[in-house]
């Protein structure tokens, strides 16, 4: 099975699995090529994926033109310490239009259907972060998981993630989130908070897009 999600011109490979006894038998590449062509016909010009460390799968992605961009580092744990609450920052219920405007800058697409899902059937809680009344970021929470989240400036990371972690720990002692390795602000936050690294995945893409250094993803299904 292989499936992809297209938002505007951005194609994301969300599923690519094969039965163990059918792997390395020339089944996967033809299937992926069909999906890729369908994406082109639908108007996609940017192709990317969130890959496991499986070397065979990564080789297939690279042969298709998706090159390694950065690692995606998963963190989990009970925050040992959090930065002091930033003065003037506060959270409020997320407005879909706010998230879409930020995503156009940070993710390269407004991806309205994704936010409709997260705010509805996805069972997530969406929050927008304001600094003296001005929106500077957003985040989603769900069963201790944080993400997606985005912010408009690198220096806003501590404020957004600090508020998100404090809110998440109200209902669960541990938090978890994934950090693109180019997002140094979020990496420092996770490490300084005492969270542990649980796994490392890979971001592969045909072309650089968005501002992933100001973003943490929702996970492998929607990114």
């Amino acid at each position: 099975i292989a499936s992809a999600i297209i938002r505007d011109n951005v194609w994301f490979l969300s599923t690519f699995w094969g039965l163990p006894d059918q792997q390395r038998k020339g089944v996967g590449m033809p299937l992926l090529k069909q999906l890729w062509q369908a994406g082109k016909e639908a108007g996609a010009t940017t192709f990317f994926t969130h890959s496991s460390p499986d070397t065979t799968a990564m080789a297939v992605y690279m042969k298709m033109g998706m090159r390694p961009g950065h690692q995606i580092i998963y963190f989990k744990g009970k925050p040992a310490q959090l930065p002091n609450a930033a003065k003037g920052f506060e959270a409020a219920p997320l407005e879909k239009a706010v998230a879409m405007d930020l995503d156009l800058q940070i993710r390269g697409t407004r991806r309205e259907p994704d936010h409709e899902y997260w705010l509805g059937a996805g069972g997530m809680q969406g929050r927008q972060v304001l600094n003296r009344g001005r929106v500077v970021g957003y985040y989603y929470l769900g069963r201790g998981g944080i993400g997606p989240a985005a912010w408009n400036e690198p220096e806003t990371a501590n404020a957004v993630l600090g508020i998100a972690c404090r809110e998440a720990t109200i209902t669960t002692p541990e938090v978890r989130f994934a950090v693109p390795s180019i997002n140094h602000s979020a990496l420092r936050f996770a490490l300084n908070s005492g969270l542990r690294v649980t796994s490392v995945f890979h971001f592969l893409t045909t072309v650089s897009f968005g501002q992933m250094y100001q973003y943490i993803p929702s996970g492998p299904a929607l990114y």
Side-chain angles (χ1 to χ4, degrees), residues 83 89 129 136 149-165 183-189 213-216:
F89 287 84
V129 179
V136 296
W151 43 90
N152 62 351
E153 299 290 345
E155 56 268 24
T156 311
N158 272 8
V160 173
L161 291 174
I163 291 173
C165 282
N183 188 340
H184 294 176
S185 299
L187 284 177
R188 283 193 296 270
F189 177 93
Y213 49 87
Q214 292 165 210
Y215 182 74
I216 62 175

Side-chain angles (χ1 to χ4, degrees), residues 46-69:
T46 296
F47 297 77
F48 82 102
T49 191
H50 170 295
S51 175
S52 72
D54 183 86
T55 55
T56 300
M58 290 182 67
V60 170
Y61 303 148
M62 288 188 283
K63 288 177 182 177
M64 291 298 298
M66 291 184 282
R67 302 290 190 248

